[in-house]
């Protein structure tokens, strides 16, 4: 059981939760994640550890409300408990002084790229952050990232804020104008794929953090398997970061759809119960 | 007189009914049947059955108590050497162990030792007469156990009884290892496992759930943070795949994932529970062991209409318990023997829709003594399916071996440990169970836990490695 210290919506459908988890707060490194079980009947969902406070023993998670588990999480109030948090899991990002680092975050992926960008900056890199979302409402962490970077570029698909267009357009401009030593991209699979295809032509080392569907997060079930360089890899223990140029993104995209129908069923049941509850 | 009484059958749920629920299949003995079965035992002076039991339970001793109407006394006898009798009575391959060596097996049916053990343990649990006393932590030494499967739980119990302060670290949010995430409810009800775990807690064992060792803290960190010895009992939790085309299509599962979703996460009660599972109409399970039978029988209970076991050798070579194969057959599982999958075929959305198989024939015996299967050219055929479950075995999870310098492993990644003391090549570190032997049995893992506890006690008392 982990206590919720703070939980609030920070934009349209993104929540921020600060959760008591002293062990994880103490040990976690950039790039690692936790597995959260919201309540007794809950599933195990992976969420990136965006930040932590060792002294207070807390971790910060950002979650996009897309289905049953994330919606349930959004309903938890300060002082309440969630059933379980396991971690830190996965390999930390290989943080080094590469020279110039570009961190690209799309949608909720901004939350995942945030701790990496901070660590890259702290390691001495010249750090350019590009963040993008479909619209202004979905944009998160702009101020926080701004404070921790040498340059920040913001895009929205619909032009409701920042530059109208995709993160890849802006990344291309940077790649054309200066030498980039590493790119880290986290976001929806199509975005990561597009970034990867772009940087491949420039021959720039690129890391992506994959969002496979997980169960245990310890390498036991193989459900999170992805094909990297033609080989099976488990995202939870071999990743979550991989060399973007070796990842089979199309396969990952298909595997993410495995539970589409059931996720809908679960969410409908869940919201229907909520209506009953509120309607009394 | 004894040989006139036939071996007492245990009543079972009717196959037609049971495939619609996850309740336990065998229903247990009542007192009368148990006593009757107990009278079949000859109380041998040199009981060979005991040699067949990896933890050497005093079998005639406990059976005598059953016969005399004293199940609690029988329980105390069993508990001297076996900490999980309710589990072993259910899942031990008795036909290869204790019952195989029972003298009665020579001429007819052996005493139903497993059934009696189950009866005794269930009696105790249901009546809750036995009290667990909290061990006094008198030794002033601390032992860390990694993994809460049968090996870890057994070692924890023994060490706590000896007076050590014991902490079990478990990666998942429930303790029990394969007993909770792998073996289905209809074979091993989860409240039985929980009862055993609670008993350990009552004895003073600390269980730290959701603590994965090897990502943040390593074995070395445990040793330097005040633990005097570490027992690695992390099991064989790495699912093996066939490495054939189409294996990453939607609907293709490892048995570990399929069973974990259903057992640990209770996907069979979706959407009451949040974890989903793909419920196929037609399911192919690849493999011939207990894990394959469990997967196939789970699929039936989830509502699948046609469930195939695809196994590359013949029935004789199947590693699953005979009892489990029989139950799977009774329930309508279709066996495709001497058959091997060559590829999975997907639809345009990337969902599995068929499996292409090839017929096999048995050639000369291989190194393991089993006749190795050879594909028959041109015999390919296709089975339509919408779920496939790969149950061809598990390897050792590399997390601990990779992060523990100085601890030697085999080429396959299993930890090398002395078969008697469970000592690894690294001072203060012991290992046992499936992580050492590769996928084996519950009782063997328990045996390893027991030996490790004894050796840890010796090491911590004498300081001699
Ligand atoms: C290592 C890792 C780190 C992650 N970090 C974060 C994070 O920091 N914040 C965050 O909001 N999410 C993160 N995710 C994704 C998150 O785990 C899923 O969004 C979550 O499991 C959805 O659960 P749900 O029950 O709310 O929705 P579901 O009902 O499970 O799904 C609803 C919708 O989301 C889609 N979906 C489901 N699972 C995923 C997934 N793994 N990735 C992308 N889409 C998915 C489904 O296709 C469906 O359309 C991470 C995933 C991984 C593997
Ligand atoms: C589906 C299935 C059916 C089976 N049926 C039978 C049967 O009928 N009869 C029989 O005798 N045997 C059966 N077996 C085999 C038997 O279950 C195993 O041999 C036995 O459980 C091994 O015990 P163990 O303690 O070595 O490991 P496990 O039971 O595998 O437990 C290991 C534990 O360690 C934890 N762990 C792993 N890595 C870490 C880490 N880094 N940090 C912290 N914790 C970690 C795991 O989460 C797990 O809980 C079956 C196995 C399966 C999978
Ligand atoms: S523990 Fe297993 S092998 Fe030993 S007596 Fe019981 S059933 Fe037989
Ligand atoms: S060998 Fe059989 S008959 Fe003899 S003591 Fe053991 S169980 Fe009883
Ligand atoms: S989530 Fe199960 S192996 Fe990665």
């Amino acid at each position: 059981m982990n206590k919720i210290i703070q939980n609030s919506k920070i934009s349209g459908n993104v929540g921020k939760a600060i959760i008591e988890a002293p062990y994880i707060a103490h040990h976690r490194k950039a790039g690692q994640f936790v597995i959260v079980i919201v309540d007794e009947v809950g599933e195990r969902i992976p969420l990136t550890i965006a930040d932590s406070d060792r002294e207070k023993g807390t971790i910060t998670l950002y979650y996009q409300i897309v289905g049953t588990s994330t919606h349930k999480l959004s309903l938890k109030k300060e002082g309440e408990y969630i059933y379980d948090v396991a971690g830190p899991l996965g390999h930390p990002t290989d943080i080094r002084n590469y020279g110039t680092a570009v961190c690209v975050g799309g949608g909720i992926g901004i939350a995942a790229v945030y701790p990496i960008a901070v660590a890259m900056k702290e390691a001495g890199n010249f750090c350019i952050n590009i963040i993008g979302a479909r619209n202004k409402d979905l944009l998160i962490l702009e101020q926080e990232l701004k404070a921790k970077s040498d340059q920040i570029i913001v895009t929205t698909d619909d032009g409701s804020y920042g530059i109208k267009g995709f993160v890849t357009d802006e990344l291309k401009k940077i790649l054309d104008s200066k030498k980039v030593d590493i790119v880290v991209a986290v976001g929806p699979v199509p975005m990561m794929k597009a970034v990867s295809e772009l940087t491949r032509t420039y021959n720039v080392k690129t890391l992506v953090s994959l969002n496979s569907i997980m169960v245990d997060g310890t390498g036991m079930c193989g459900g999170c398997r992805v094909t990297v360089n033609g080989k099976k890899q488990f995202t939870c223990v071999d990743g979550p970061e991989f060399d973007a140029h070796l990842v089979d993104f199309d396969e990952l995209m298909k595997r993410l759809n495995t539970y589409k129908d059931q996720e809908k069923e679960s969410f409908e049941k869940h919201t229907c119960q909520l209506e009953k509850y509120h309607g009394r | 007189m004894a040989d006139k009484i036939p071996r007492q059958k245990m009543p079972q749920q009717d196959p037609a009914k049971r495939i619609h629920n996850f309740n336990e299949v065998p229903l247990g003995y009542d007192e009368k049947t148990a006593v009757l079965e107990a009278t079949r035992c000859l109380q041998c002076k040199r009981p060979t059955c005991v040699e067949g039991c990896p933890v050497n339970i005093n079998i005639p001793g406990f059976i005598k108590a059953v016969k005399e109407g004293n199940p609690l006394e029988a329980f105390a006898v069993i508990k001297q050497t076996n900490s999980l009798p309710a589990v072993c009575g259910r899942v031990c391959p008795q036909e290869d162990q204790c019952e195989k060596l029972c003298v009665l097996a020579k001429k007819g049916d052996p005493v139903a030792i497993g059934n009696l053990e189950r009866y005794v343990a269930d009696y105790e649990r249901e009546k809750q007469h036995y009290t667990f006393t909290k061990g006094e932590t008198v030794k002033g030494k601390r032992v860390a156990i990694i993994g809460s499967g049968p090996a870890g739980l057994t070692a924890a119990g023994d060490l706590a009884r000896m007076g050590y302060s014991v902490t079990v670290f478990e990666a998942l949010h429930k303790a029990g290892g394969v007993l909770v995430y792998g073996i289905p409810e209809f074979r091993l009800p989860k409240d039985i496992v929980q009862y055993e775990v609670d008993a350990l807690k009552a004895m003073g064992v600390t269980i730290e759930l959701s603590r994965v060792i090897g990502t943040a803290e390593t074995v070395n960190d445990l040793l330097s943070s005040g633990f005097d010895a570490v027992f690695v009992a992390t099991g064989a939790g790495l699912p093996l795949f066939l490495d054939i085309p189409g294996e990453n299509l939607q609907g293709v599962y490892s048995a570990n994932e399929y069973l974990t979703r259903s057992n640990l996460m209770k996907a069979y009660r979706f959407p009451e529970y949040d974890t989903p599972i793909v419920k196929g109409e037609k399911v192919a399970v690849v493999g011939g062991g207990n894990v394959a039978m469990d997967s196939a029988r789970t699929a039936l209970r989830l509502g699948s209409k046609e469930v195939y076991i695809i196994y590359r050798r013949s029935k004789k070579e199947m590693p699953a318990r005979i009892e489990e194969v029989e139950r799977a057959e009774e329930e309508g599982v279709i066996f495709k023997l001497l058959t091997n999958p060559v590829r999975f075929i997907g639809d345009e959305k990337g969902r599995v829709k068929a499996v292409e198989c090839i017929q096999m024939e048995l050639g000369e015996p291989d190194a393991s003594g089993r006749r190795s299967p050879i594909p028959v050219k041109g015999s390919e055929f296709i089975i339509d399916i919408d779920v496939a479950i790969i149950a061809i075995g598990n390897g050792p999870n590399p997390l601990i071996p990779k992060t523990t310098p100085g601890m030697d492993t085999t080429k396959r990644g299993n930890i090398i440990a002395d078969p008697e003391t469970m000592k690894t090549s690294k001072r203060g570190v012991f290992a046992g169970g499936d992580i050492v032997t590769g996928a084996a049995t519950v009782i063997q893992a328990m045996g390893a836990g027991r030996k490790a506890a004894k050796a840890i006690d010796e090491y911590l008392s004498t300081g001699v490695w």
Side-chain angles (χ1 to χ4, degrees):
Chain A
M1 297 289 261
N2 299 67
K3 192 173 180 176
I4 302 265
I5 303 299
Q6 192 192 311
N7 194 14
S8 52
K9 269 206 186 148
I10 58 163
S11 81
N13 67 346
V14 179
K16 172 186 182 182
I18 299 179
I19 297 169
E20 206 169 68
Y23 179 83
I24 302 169
H26 186 80
H27 288 282
R28 74 99 190 179
K29 295 199 178 87
Q32 290 185 304
F33 64 94
V34 287
I35 293 234
V36 171
I37 307 174
V38 180
D39 58 25
E40 251 159 60
V41 298
E43 58 182 331
R44 297 172 63 97
I45 61 161
L47 295 171
T48 305
I49 309 166
D51 212 341
S52 63
D53 186 328
R54 281 192 178 197
E55 253 120 69
K56 296 201 179 107
T58 60
I59 56 169
T60 305
L61 310 174
Y62 292 89
Y63 55 92
Q64 186 169 9
I65 303 163
V66 289
T68 305
S69 301
T70 46
H71 189 247
K72 278 182 171 178
L73 179 57
S74 73
L75 299 178
K76 288 280 176 188
K77 297 198 179 58
E78 199 179 301
E80 291 183 346
Y81 287 80
I82 51 177
Y83 184 73
D84 191 62
V85 182
L89 300 170
H91 285 293
T93 308
D94 183 10
I95 302 287
R96 271 184 273 162
N97 190 347
Y98 294 91
T100 298
V102 180
C103 296
V104 188
I108 191 66
I110 302 171
V113 95
Y114 170 68
I116 301 171
V118 171
M120 285 290 189
K121 175 77 188 145
E122 277 167 7
N125 290 284
F126 183 84
C127 209
I128 305 171
N129 297 323
I130 309 175
I131 58 172
R134 277 204 310 279
N135 57 51
K136 182 173 181 245
D137 238 17
L138 299 171
L139 215 55
I140 55 169
L141 288 167
E142 185 196 351
Q143 295 313 318
E144 288 85 342
L145 274 166
K146 202 174 201 166
K148 302 275 169 102
S149 60
D150 295 289
Q151 191 187 342
I152 184 159
I153 301 164
V154 182
T155 70
T156 51
D157 297 4
D158 65 356
S160 53
Y161 188 78
I163 302 166
K164 182 174 181 347
F166 298 122
V167 286
T168 37
D169 304 335
E170 300 309 307
L171 177 61
K172 186 167 186 320
K173 285 181 201 157
I174 294 170
L175 290 167
D176 283 331
S177 65
K178 67 188 296 171
K179 181 174 171 292
V180 172
D181 301 291
I182 188 158
V183 173
V184 184
V186 193
V189 181
M191 180 213 100
M192 291 193 281
K193 185 182 173 191
V195 167
S196 169
E197 274 164 11
L198 181 65
T199 57
R200 192 199 309 274
T201 60
Y202 289 82
N203 208 8
V204 175
K205 181 182 160 95
T206 303
L207 297 175
V208 284
S209 182
L210 303 183
N211 57 346
S212 327
I213 295 174
M214 294 188 179
V215 186
D216 58 305
T218 68
M220 180 270 281
C221 78
C224 64
R225 64 192 185 273
V226 286
T227 303
V228 180
N229 204 13
K231 285 205 231 26
K232 269 195 193 69
Q233 298 273 289
F234 292 178
T235 305
C236 65
V237 286
D238 300 321
E241 281 171 17
F242 294 100
D243 181 340
H245 299 151
L246 304 176
V247 171
D248 183 341
F249 289 104
D250 295 338
E251 181 185 274
L252 172 63
M253 232 176 301
K254 285 183 182 150
R255 282 186 67 79
L256 282 173
N257 286 329
T258 304
Y259 301 102
K260 265 242 146 75
D261 298 344
Q262 293 182 48
E263 282 157 353
K264 223 174 117 219
E265 181 187 348
S266 165
F267 193 60
E268 275 161 9
K269 183 206 132 229
H270 170 69
T271 43
C272 158
Q273 274 177 350
L274 281 176
E275 273 159 24
K276 264 194 220 146
Y277 174 76
H278 290 297
R280 247 168 288 228
Chain B
M1 178 217 139
D3 55 358
K4 297 220 178 79
I5 306 168
R7 180 176 158 118
Q8 297 299 301
K9 284 215 170 67
M10 190 177 274
Q12 297 195 4
Q13 265 201 80
D14 176 35
K17 279 213 190 94
R18 72 186 190 224
I19 59 165
H20 300 296
N21 67 55
F22 275 79
N23 301 338
E24 202 175 2
V25 170
L27 300 169
Y29 280 162
D30 58 18
E31 191 185 336
K32 213 175 112 224
T33 321
V35 172
L36 204 58
E37 181 62 29
T39 52
R40 294 183 64 230
C41 171
L42 305 175
Q43 294 292 315
C44 305
K45 286 269 144 11
R46 223 195 101 246
T48 40
C49 55
V50 176
E51 287 159 36
C53 169
V55 293
N56 305 119
I57 291 182
N58 176 355
I59 295 169
F62 97 76
I63 294 184
K64 182 158 176 277
V66 173
K67 189 171 117 185
E68 290 165 357
N70 264 325
L72 288 179
E73 194 187 310
F75 184 75
V77 173
I78 296 174
K79 269 280 176 176
Q80 285 165 8
T81 55
N82 182 343
S83 45
L84 307 171
V87 175
C88 294
R90 288 175 165 81
V91 304
C92 257
Q94 290 105 12
E95 65 279 12
D96 288 326
Q97 297 180 339
C98 50
E99 294 181 15
K100 186 181 182 178
L101 296 188
C102 168
V103 287
L104 295 189
K106 284 188 194 140
K107 280 196 240 139
D109 290 328
V111 175
I113 302 169
N115 289 354
L116 287 171
E117 187 173 342
R118 169 184 163 158
Y119 164 76
V120 168
D122 286 356
Y123 181 92
E124 184 278 332
R125 191 177 63 259
E126 277 147 26
K127 306 282 191 281
Q128 303 220 350
H129 285 303
Y130 197 82
T131 47
F132 296 94
T133 40
K134 190 171 174 341
E136 289 290 313
T137 46
V138 291
K139 305 270 180 161
K141 298 246 160 94
R142 298 174 67 204
V143 182
I145 295 178
I146 310 174
S148 66
L153 292 180
T154 304
D158 283 8
L159 287 162
R161 228 170 278 125
M162 292 175 199
Y164 290 97
S165 154
V166 181
T167 306
V168 179
F169 296 99
E170 168 54 51
L172 295 170
H173 63 283
K174 286 217 171 87
V178 170
L179 307 182
V180 290
Y181 78 71
I183 303 180
E185 180 79 17
F186 56 82
R187 265 207 313 131
L188 179 62
K190 298 310 148 216
D191 52 2
I192 291 177
V193 184
Q194 193 54 47
Y195 180 77
E196 302 291 355
V197 172
D198 289 344
L200 279 183
K201 284 198 212 151
M203 284 169 60
V205 172
T206 306
I207 303 185
E208 296 268 3
L209 298 173
S210 295
R211 277 285 285 277
V212 186
I213 305 300
T215 54
E217 277 180 300
T218 61
V219 169
N220 275 345
D221 293 333
L222 294 177
L223 286 171
S224 58
S225 70
F227 287 102
D228 301 288
V230 176
F231 178 48
V232 183
T234 48
L238 180 80
L240 302 180
F241 287 93
L242 293 156
D243 284 324
I244 59 173
E247 210 168 13
N248 292 349
L249 290 164
Q250 292 176 46
V252 182
Y253 284 105
S254 76
N256 277 6
E257 182 183 1
Y258 192 75
L259 292 171
T260 299
R261 282 180 181 274
S262 180
N263 297 325
L264 181 70
M265 305 310 297
K266 303 227 175 336
Y268 69 87
R269 287 165 70 179
F270 181 90
E272 181 195 343
Y273 280 74
D274 294 341
T275 303
I277 194 164
V278 180
K279 299 175 183 173
E281 285 282 306
K282 297 180 176 190
V283 178
V285 180
V286 184
N290 286 326
V291 185
M293 300 307 138
D294 284 347
S295 304
R297 297 174 67 200
T298 295
L300 283 174
R301 284 162 175 77
L302 287 171
S304 301
K305 299 283 176 290
E306 272 172 42
V307 179
Y308 299 93
I309 290 269
I310 298 180
Y311 181 57
R312 63 196 178 121
R313 304 183 205 239
S314 68
K315 205 176 224 166
K316 217 173 72 206
E317 283 86 12
M318 272 198 175
R321 293 187 60 192
I322 304 158
E323 201 177 279
E324 300 307 325
V325 176
E326 281 169 2
R327 291 196 177 125
E329 275 176 332
E330 280 167 18
E331 290 171 8
V333 172
I334 305 157
F335 285 75
K336 292 271 179 200
L337 301 169
L338 289 166
T339 302
N340 211 22
V342 282
R343 70 180 171 120
F344 295 105
I345 302 163
D347 66 12
E348 66 290 346
K349 285 192 176 141
R351 289 177 202 271
V352 66
K353 64 168 191 183
V355 54
E356 183 179 317
C357 299
I358 190 162
Q359 215 67 62
M360 309 292 274
E361 59 188 12
L362 290 181
E364 294 304 306
D366 64 8
S368 71
R370 290 192 299 184
R371 294 175 64 194
S372 51
I374 311 164
V376 179
K377 271 213 185 82
S379 67
E380 289 87 350
F381 64 100
I382 284 177
I383 308 176
D384 288 341
I385 54 167
D386 41 21
V387 165
I389 303 164
I390 316 294
I392 56 164
N394 289 308
N397 187 318
L399 213 48
I400 301 269
K402 258 200 209 154
T403 54
T404 313
M407 187 181 69
D408 295 343
T409 57
T410 63
K411 261 200 217 107
R412 294 177 136 197
N414 292 100
I415 299 176
I416 300 173
D418 181 283
E420 282 314 309
T421 64
M422 304 293 141
K423 280 181 183 167
T424 68
S425 58
K426 188 179 171 72
R427 190 183 169 99
V429 181
F430 301 73
D434 281 4
I435 184 70
V436 170
T437 55
T441 61
V442 171
I443 190 70
Q444 274 174 283
M446 289 178 54
R450 158 139 303 184
K451 285 183 191 169
K454 189 164 160 272
I456 289 171
D457 178 41
E458 251 165 50
Y459 167 62
L460 294 181
S461 313
T462 63
V464 179
W465 182 250

